[in-house]
Amino acid sequence: MEEQAIDKSVLETGEMILNMGPQHPSTHGVLRLKIHTDGEIVSKIEPVIGYLHRCFEKHCEKLSYEQIVPFVDRCDYLASMHMDHAFSITVEKLLDIEIPERVEYIRVIIAELQRIASHLVALGTFGLDVGAITPFTWAIRDRERVLDLFEALCGARLLYNYIWPGGVSHDLPPKFVERTLEFLDYFDPQMDEFNNLLSNNKIFIERTADVGVLPAEVGINFGVTGPSLRGSGVNFDLRKNEPYSIYDKLDFDVPLGKGTMGTIGDTWDRYYVRVLEMRESGKIIRQACAQLPDGDVHEAIPKKIRPAVGEVYGRYESARGDVGFYIISNGKNIPLRVKMRSPAFSNLAVLSEIAEGWMISDVIAILGSLDIVLGEIDR
Amino acid sequence: MTSILDSLVKSFSSFNLDIAVILPVVTLIGGTVIFLIMAVNALVAVYFERKISAFMQDRLGPMEVGIFGFKGGKKFWGGIGQTLADAIKLLVKEDILPNNADKFLMILAPFIIFTGAFLTFIGVPFAQNIVISDFNIGIFYIFAMSSIGVIGVILAGWSSNNKWSLYGSMRAAAQIISYEIPIGLSLLLVVLVTGSLHLGDIVQWQADHRWFIFHSPFTFLAFFIFYISTIAETNRTPFDIPEAESELVAGWMTEYSGFRWALFFLSEYANMLIVSIVASIVFLGGWLSPLQIFNIFPDSWLILDGPAMGLFWILFKAVILIFIMMWIRWTFPRLRVDQLMYLCWKIFIPFALVNLLFVSLWELIF
């Protein structure tokens, strides 16, 4: 018996289990992937998460609504403004309060700037994943300018705690609008250069076109949202479909994947949707800056947030997709339960569906194109 | 062509010493020279690579470390001592060997790779008479010796007992062995035309006729096949799949650190210099001055053509080729494994073979 077993282990070829992460250069944080490989071909992927779990939802049960805002910042640390905004509109829905026009406009400007910053990181790190290092530093250089704007706005560069239920923490600093427009004037030509360097590069297209195709149906079934879903040609954007804030007053398009370089929903499409979205964000910011009304940004901030008994679900289109906050209030200043729907979690779930059967290098590229943030997945 | 070893032996012979005493001494001197070339090359090339990549990426690169308090300029020469400091750091670093590694092979592997690069340098001429030892089969010798390194790569990957290393070494073995074929075919074409394996003869042929790259359209194509294949041979982006840091962490070098890792680095940059020098000798006229092509310069400028300038011209050409390699590295993404093999077996090798045929015909006709 034993002899046979030894023979088996010597003679049989088997699959090799590779443990990618949690300390791996391109798992975007502390994601661990158990990969079953046959040579270079990947036959099975098991994502293992939880290395960045910080008990966000449990903490919320002990904190007042105002104190939760800095915590939601830390969920999606690349798009903190979006998290603040998502949580604030949910609480406002629960409180049923009116928000001043100026606050809404400021929030939209900030949110779209944040979208540009977040997508820049996504595109840059995606470049790193396929082996191009220069696009990353170019993207980070431009993101730096957005962060400078945010620093002028609220003093912080990564975790802002800027958008509060009922308002924003500070009014816009002097010359903020001018600086923002200046940034956009600078940024548009930079994007063309970025496209020349990476998006239209022959090797890059070879690496990404037709790779890891996400069919629209599979995407919808897995609950994929955001740019990753729109890359598959599904026209679903909460800013259009369920407009919150003042998005219904603004004119912008929702870029969709068209299969320009290969199949609809391939890695290149998911990548390029983000490039186009940054242009749309620029368009939104220009309009919002032009229409920015005057007013007091603090007037609607409640002295004490003590919602009536009830529950509410708020949805928000963040840089990664559909963020949802489900809050149950029992009439105290502390929520009974806060549940967060993480878009990156659902986006990650589809990885094993679309990346199996591809090579190790492709798995890295597909993972990069889904643009996950582990802080948000683990919470 | 006289070589350095020959002239050393000749000058030592005048002391009436036994040849058994002279030979080890002469060999030792030659070896030290090669080692110094490799070390200086790595120091300079790493610094340039850092600065060039930094400027391409809107950074400044190393700016803090100077040599003896001399910090160089505000931009390009700032941080001039950085690679020296790094070299010292690598030499005094803790020596780490994984518990389950095959220790003998793991220690052996870097030396095999280093030996490959070291032995190749023996046959590489730096100018008319500046070559350690002058082989009449020089091109064949260089080609053969540069293939030794791959054994070290496979050993390094296997002995590390790490899955990433194993993947890296398997990729490297496949890649390096495959890309040797188009390189060999391109070099064969040169040998076919000149009728000699001797590098000096090849340059002499180019002096008599014209630079090889301009000899015929097919040799022009052959140069690019050769050049791109050598980028693959030296494992640089876009062909750096064996060490692909975003996929395989560091490929076959994952478990190495300190001095052994420094040897890998030394060999990598030495190989870059070797392939660039070989490319400039074989295709770009070696130590011939580019001014010879254009007969428009006044006679006083022809001093630049002299044999004394040979070293300058060959390094000038090699540095340009190395710069283009760095430029490519910091611009392009990385190919996938199968695309890399496709490029080699389905594009380069057929083209190189057809090229060989057409060059033969060209020689028959013209």
Side-chain angles (χ1 to χ4, degrees), chain B residues 5-6 8-10 12-13 17-31:
Chain B
L5 282 190
D6 285 345
L8 277 176
V9 168
K10 214 176 277 172
F12 274 104
S13 315
L17 285 169
D18 191 22
I19 191 77
V21 180
I22 296 174
L23 271 185
V25 173
V26 167
T27 318
L28 204 65
I29 294 175

Side-chain angles (χ1 to χ4, degrees), chain A residues 21-300:
Chain A
Q23 278 87 33
H24 185 275
S26 42
T27 47
H28 294 252
V30 283
L31 172 66
R32 176 177 164 216
L33 295 175
K34 263 167 89 181
I35 299 182
H36 297 241
T37 53
D38 176 12
E40 288 278 340
I41 310 285
V42 172
S43 57
K44 198 175 167 208
I45 304 171
E46 298 172 48
V48 182
I49 59 170
Y51 291 93
L52 204 58
H53 186 56
R54 290 151 302 176
C55 310
F56 161 69
E57 286 172 9
K58 188 68 190 166
H59 275 303
C60 293
E61 294 169 20
K62 296 284 176 210
L63 297 168
S64 68
Y65 290 92
E66 298 93 330
Q67 287 172 320
I68 292 174
V69 177
F71 270 76
V72 291
D73 262 343
R74 280 150 181 82
C75 284
D76 185 348
Y77 41 74
L78 290 179
S80 300
M81 287 292 188
H82 288 169
M83 294 289 120
D84 286 357
H85 199 179
F87 183 73
S88 299
I89 59 171
T90 312
V91 174
E92 284 153 15
K93 223 166 153 186
L94 188 63
L95 288 169
D96 201 17
I97 51 175
E98 273 295 304
I99 307 300
E101 275 268 277
R102 184 175 173 81
V103 171
E104 295 284 25
Y105 274 96
I106 291 174
R107 283 178 176 184
V108 165
I109 293 170
I110 301 305
E112 295 308 317
L113 278 175
Q114 178 74 84
R115 199 178 306 277
I116 289 176
S118 173
H119 281 349
L120 276 175
V121 176
L123 301 181
T125 50
F126 184 56
L128 276 187
D129 289 343
V130 295
I133 297 164
T134 306
F136 174 72
T137 55
W138 286 20
I140 291 295
R141 173 195 65 194
D142 295 342
R143 173 177 179 257
E144 211 54 21
R145 297 208 168 204
V146 182
L147 296 192
D148 286 344
L149 287 175
F150 286 163
E151 194 180 5
L153 185 69
C154 58
R157 291 172 69 84
L158 192 67
L159 307 164
Y160 310 104
N161 187 16
Y162 177 69
I163 300 175
W164 290 347
V168 292
S169 72
H170 303 77
D171 200 349
L172 294 181
K175 296 232 166 143
F176 184 84
V177 173
E178 287 85 346
R179 284 180 68 187
T180 307
L181 294 175
E182 205 177 288
F183 163 72
L184 290 177
D185 291 339
Y186 155 85
F187 184 63
D188 281 343
Q190 288 299 326
M191 248 6 257
D192 294 333
E193 215 170 305
F194 192 86
N195 280 341
N196 285 339
L197 182 66
L198 190 63
S199 315
N200 299 327
N201 183 301
K202 176 74 179 149
I203 298 176
F204 180 75
I205 293 167
E206 288 286 319
R207 280 295 307 276
T208 52
D210 289 327
V211 170
V213 176
L214 171 65
E217 232 166 86
V218 175
I220 293 167
N221 286 348
F222 272 83
V224 176
T225 47
S228 303
L229 183 68
R230 291 194 284 276
S232 305
V234 181
N235 192 349
F236 178 73
D237 188 326
L238 286 173
R239 291 175 294 171
K240 280 273 187 211
N241 294 43
E242 281 180 35
Y244 49 85
S245 204
I246 47 151
Y247 278 107
D248 44 355
K249 293 183 198 164
L250 300 166
D251 170 42
F252 64 99
D253 298 321
V254 178
L256 299 176
K258 293 197 182 73
T260 322
M261 295 297 166
T263 326
I264 293 184
D266 59 9
T267 308
W268 195 87
D269 271 350
R270 280 197 291 279
Y271 160 87
Y272 201 62
V273 160
R274 294 195 169 87
V275 175
L276 296 176
E277 262 186 29
M278 292 201 289
R279 291 212 191 276
E280 294 302 320
S281 293
K283 229 160 98 183
I284 295 173
I285 296 169
R286 282 181 202 281
Q287 291 174 39
C289 283
Q291 299 169 13
L292 187 67
D294 288 331
D296 181 12
V297 294
H298 292 127
E299 72 180 19

Side-chain angles (χ1 to χ4, degrees), chain B residues 205-354:
Chain B
W205 188 93
Q206 297 182 67
D208 296 341
H209 297 78
R210 62 194 73 79
W211 287 14
F212 234 100
I213 185 170
F214 303 126
H215 180 53
S216 70
F218 308 108
T219 49
F220 187 72
L221 185 64
F223 170 72
F224 288 99
I225 292 178
F226 178 82
Y227 188 59
I228 296 171
S229 303
T230 52
I231 297 177
E233 181 90 355
T234 46
N235 294 340
R236 290 178 67 79
T237 314
F239 308 104
D240 67 336
I241 55 158
E243 29 188 283
E245 71 279 341
S246 62
E247 293 155 27
L248 300 185
V249 190
W252 46 275
M253 299 193 284
T254 307
E255 295 288 357
Y256 280 92
S257 69
F259 177 62
R260 278 183 264 283
W261 189 82
L263 281 187
F264 286 147
F265 224 64
L266 214 59
S267 321
E268 191 188 317
Y269 280 92
N271 281 331
M272 263 173 79
L273 184 66
I274 289 168
V275 295
S276 305
I277 287 181
V278 170
S280 20
I281 288 176
V282 172
F283 289 100
L284 300 177
W287 45 82
L288 305 175
S289 149
L291 302 180
Q292 276 179 354
I293 302 179
F294 320 101
N295 289 322
I296 49 169
F297 293 104
D299 282 352
S300 57
W301 283 41
L302 288 180
I303 194 165
L304 295 175
D305 286 347
M309 292 297 288
L311 183 64
F312 169 75
W313 285 122
I314 205 164
L315 288 180
F316 178 74
K317 288 166 190 172
V319 163
I320 288 179
L321 291 180
I322 290 177
F323 171 74
I324 294 173
M325 277 185 176
M326 292 177 177
W327 189 3
I328 289 173
R329 173 173 179 183
W330 298 105
T331 309
F332 287 130
R334 179 186 309 120
L335 285 166
R336 205 170 54 205
V337 188
D338 57 327
Q339 289 163 349
L340 188 87
M341 289 296 150
Y342 180 91
L343 190 67
C344 179
W345 289 97
K346 295 203 170 166
I347 297 176
F348 282 173
I349 292 180
F351 263 92
L353 278 171
V354 171

